[in-house]
Amino acid sequence: MSFSKIIGTGSYLPEKILTNHDLEKLLDTSDEWITTRTGIKQRHIIDKDQKTSDMAYEAAIKAINAAKIDKNTIDLIIVATTTPDKVFPSTACTLQNKLEIDGCPAFDVQAVCSGFIYGLSIADKYIKTRSARTVLLVGVDAMSTITDYTDRGNAILWGDGAGAVVLSNSHEPGILSTHIHAQGKYEDMLHVPRKIDQSKDTIEMVGNQVFKIAVKTLDKIVDETLEANNLRKSDIDWLVPHQANIRILEATAKKLSLSMDKVIVTIDRHGNTSAASIPLALDEGIQASKILPDQLVLMEAFGGGFTWGSALIRI
Ligand code: UT7
């Protein structure tokens, strides 16, 4: 039996930082409100001349180096993003060109904040069915480019960044299971409608309703994942969640009876980076030698669509 395993991680955050105090100057908000309601203190923002693919490239190079592979052995590139450089081609094709890799398939996955879990699910299946041996998966978003900085209801949440993993075939798991779902009937609760005039398309969200559905749905996906693997809550070593709101992270940790020191938390410094948040958190946990080989990691995400999903992995 062939399994897939993460053999290298990498991440990238733009230099420019937007603090809550900076936002106080733009919006009717306060550091105190943002901190207590979301857990966010600051977020990273790309420069005007920077693109999503530039962030993806920086994270990908680090993951390739960490995996100690020849980049030409990569036989599939997947980029999970909601903020592609162009309408087409895919950011995955642009990334392939920047990496000077030729010929392997490359495509984007659009599942908003759940994009990395969707991508992991696809990568795992490609490797398990021996359709690929080495997959580069990047979760990357430049959320600042689709944020309406006059809307205090959600502008305070978003940040930019990229996280990447290299997956390879392995005799031992690896990825134990992935679970992905969608419910399109909720599309209007969190979306970026296309404007008919030439103005910027920006995020619209019914935040408090999204919050409630996210907590309930993540509760269910935790049960689904544990049951599928015949595991108990106490078997989980680390929770690496999508970073949407500290209160959502705390609710999932409570559901798992995990103390918060077993949750990788980046939201205070990164904000919500959409598809990038899980691989950014995973890389941070591994680089800090918190997440160790052989440990069991649960990842989960919820986002626009609605989409949601989880992955259970052995490091
Ligand atoms: O990653 C994809 C999935 N996304 C999520 O899961 C996001 C989920 N939603 C959230 O994180 C939260 O709903 C928000 C952080 C967006 C909002 O927090 P909330 O506690 O749900 O606040 P609310 O929208 O219910 O608003 C409560 C009050 C309102 O004032 P009144 O009507 O009670 O007087 C808002 O006008 O807070 C006000 N408010 C703010 N005040 C200061 C809303 N945004 C702000 C703000 N600063 N930025």
Side-chain angles (χ1 to χ4, degrees):
M1 174 96 181
S2 183
F3 296 100
S4 69
K5 201 168 175 72
I6 292 175
I7 59 163
T9 63
S11 58
Y12 172 79
L13 289 161
E15 269 174 40
K16 189 178 156 195
I17 286 174
L18 184 69
T19 65
N20 291 350
H21 294 297
D22 295 329
L23 284 172
E24 281 174 347
K25 291 173 203 145
L26 298 174
L27 291 161
D28 178 16
T29 191
S30 67
D31 172 48
E32 200 267 333
W33 192 95
I34 302 170
T35 306
T36 51
R37 296 291 182 113
T38 72
I40 300 169
K41 296 298 283 183
Q42 62 167 51
R43 59 299 278 146
H44 292 251
I45 304 291
I46 55 166
D47 273 341
K48 285 207 164 53
D49 58 355
Q50 238 180 343
K51 296 260 186 259
T52 294
S53 63
D54 296 323
M55 294 195 288
Y57 174 81
E58 298 294 337
I61 287 289
K62 287 187 191 149
I64 290 166
N65 290 339
K68 298 191 177 68
I69 57 153
D70 173 355
K71 65 184 181 183
N72 294 303
T73 61
I74 292 169
D75 46 17
L76 173 62
I77 298 173
I78 305 173
V79 172
T81 190
T82 298
T83 49
D85 286 16
K86 301 179 178 182
V87 173
F88 70 83
S90 68
T91 303
C93 286
T94 306
L95 175 63
Q96 187 200 47
N97 184 36
K98 286 188 174 163
L99 288 169
E100 295 176 346
I101 298 173
D102 209 16
C104 76
F107 56 83
D108 287 2
V109 171
Q110 203 332 1
V112 205
C113 299
S114 314
F116 182 76
I117 299 289
Y118 268 62
L120 206 58
S121 182
I122 297 165
D124 181 46
K125 282 162 184 67
Y126 261 85
I127 290 174
K128 274 190 183 142
T129 57
R130 298 178 198 270
S131 307
R133 289 171 68 91
T134 309
V135 180
L136 171 65
L137 167 63
V138 184
V140 55
D141 265 311
M143 297 306 277
S144 65
T145 62
I146 53 168
T147 296
D148 174 0
Y149 284 103
T150 65
D151 181 357
R152 69 174 185 170
N154 75 72
I156 44 115
L157 295 174
W158 311 105
D160 303 337
V165 296
V166 174
L167 296 117
S168 178
N169 65 326
S170 157
H171 293 300
E172 48 194 52
I175 296 184
L176 296 167
S177 70
T178 59
H179 309 263
I180 55 173
H181 299 277
Q183 213 160 15
K185 70 177 175 184
Y186 292 118
E187 67 169 311
D188 291 345
M189 275 199 195
L190 171 50
H191 64 154
V192 178
R194 284 239 197 258
K195 304 226 170 75
I196 41 170
D197 57 15
Q198 291 302 303
S199 60
K200 197 171 119 182
D201 296 334
T202 52
I203 302 165
E204 294 175 11
M205 176 169 78
V206 193
N208 45 14
Q209 289 186 49
V210 175
F211 183 99
K212 283 181 202 145
I213 298 172
V215 171
K216 273 195 207 142
T217 308
L218 291 171
D219 249 31
K220 281 196 217 140
I221 200 93
V222 165
D223 287 337
E224 181 184 334
T225 314
L226 291 175
E227 274 166 29
N229 292 280
N230 275 321
L231 290 171
R232 289 162 303 170
K233 294 175 191 174
S234 55
D235 294 316
I236 304 296
D237 293 304
W238 287 99
L239 176 64
V240 180
H242 167 52
Q243 314 276 322
N245 186 315
I246 191 70
R247 292 182 289 137
I248 298 179
L249 273 63
E250 285 165 353
T252 311
K254 194 171 166 205
K255 161 82 183 169
L256 279 163
S257 308
L258 268 185
S259 67
M260 282 305 283
D261 58 4
K262 289 290 176 191
V263 182
I264 304 292
V265 178
T266 59
I267 190 161
D268 51 330
R269 289 154 292 127
H270 301 178
N272 182 343
T273 56
S274 188
S277 84
I278 292 178
L280 269 163
L282 179 69
D283 188 47
E284 184 170 300
I286 289 174
Q287 297 304 330
S289 298
K290 288 181 173 174
I291 302 175
L292 300 171
D294 274 338
Q295 287 189 322
L296 205 53
V297 174
L298 175 64
M299 302 169 177
E300 44 74 357
F302 180 90
F306 292 143
T307 56
W308 64 98
S310 66
L312 190 71
I313 65 167
R314 177 82 59 194
I315 295 295

